[in-house]
Amino acid sequence: MSWTDERVEMLKKMWGEGQSASQIAKELGGVTRNAVIGKVHRLGLSNRATAASKPEAKAKAAPKAEARPKAATKPAEPAARAEAEPAAPKPIPARKQIIPAGQPLPPQPSANEISPEALAKVSEIEKKAKKLSLMELTERTCKWPVGDPATENFWFCGLPVQQGKPYCEAHVGVAFQPMSSRRDRRR
DNA sequence: CCCTGATTCGC
DNA sequence: GCGAATCAGG
């Protein structure tokens, strides 16, 4: 695949929307997230307040740079300048644009609307829960919250999610009640 | 282990 | 210009 105008447009759009490189790559197809990131940089639209922002990584990310066979970048300025600004005259100190939605948090369930069987199942799996923190949640970890968010006793299930769902099997059971069982739940 | 973006450099 | 490999980090 190549970067046609259309694909570049898509890239710009999604990147602007705060989509991750991998998501964009998945959407475009035929490219990896690396390709997307590479393109993003080449297009000059990089910085976008997100997960990883490390100024120091630049200097370190050069394991093979021991001897530069290519062109000695700037003989006039030794290693001291290894991490300076690339060459983009973009004085943009304040950047507050997109606020990615991120992972939508699941709604706190009301216990009185859930079948006893499902509840029992949940109590059981909560023992096996991975007890992940917010940061550790991924697209394939159960995002069911357990405990009181205001206390230390709070974590997310974290078990493997059911394909396409935000929760593990057990929690999907209590999160997505069939209409049939929802009828006359009260009383 | 899952993921994120950043960087380098051979092609 | 492209993107895999690699790095650094949440």
Side-chain angles (χ1 to χ4, degrees):
Chain A
M1 272 301 198
S2 60
W3 287 107
T4 63
D5 288 357
E6 280 187 9
R7 292 166 65 76
V8 172
E9 230 180 290
M10 188 75 236
L11 166 60
K12 286 179 178 175
K13 185 193 172 202
M14 293 185 74
W15 185 260
E17 290 174 353
Q19 301 273 37
S20 70
S22 61
Q23 286 178 304
I24 296 172
K26 190 195 300 176
E27 188 67 32
L28 289 172
V31 288
T32 64
R33 73 180 197 89
N34 274 318
V36 170
I37 292 174
K39 187 59 179 175
V40 162
H41 279 232
R42 263 171 265 127
L43 287 173
L45 37 81
S46 52
N47 51 21
R48 180 192 61 169
T50 42
S53 59
K54 55 237 138 297
E56 305 166 77
K58 299 178 181 179
K60 298 275 186 175
K64 298 173 184 175
E66 310 168 303
R68 245 172 236 200
K70 285 272 182 178
T73 37
K74 295 199 172 171
E77 293 174 79
R81 203 207 186 300
E83 60 165 285
E85 300 76 11
K90 293 175 63 181
I92 306 178
R95 43 75 179 114
K96 50 178 178 179
Q97 279 191 314
I98 290 76
I99 301 178
Q103 296 286 3
L105 296 179
Q108 279 293 348
S110 303
N112 57 12
E113 290 192 15
I114 302 172
S115 68
E117 312 88 63
L119 275 179
K121 202 172 181 181
V122 167
S123 321
E124 249 185 75
I125 64 151
E126 284 185 3
K127 297 172 186 171
K128 306 175 186 174
K130 307 295 291 293
K131 299 192 176 184
L132 300 181
S133 70
L134 185 56
M135 275 302 306
E136 296 171 314
L137 290 177
T138 74
E139 208 167 315
R140 49 183 64 104
T141 58
C142 180
K143 298 163 191 62
W144 195 266
V146 180
D148 188 339
T151 69
E152 293 293 309
N153 184 35
F154 178 70
W155 31 269
F156 293 92
C157 174
L159 292 173
V161 297
Q162 203 161 40
Q163 176 63 50
K165 302 292 201 318
Y167 313 120
C168 65
E169 184 185 341
H171 285 136
V172 162
V174 296
F176 302 110
Q177 292 288 310
M179 290 307 283
S180 55
S181 64
R182 285 204 129 220
R183 292 207 319 154
D184 27 66
R185 56 195 128 75
R186 293 195 73 149
R187 165 178 15 95

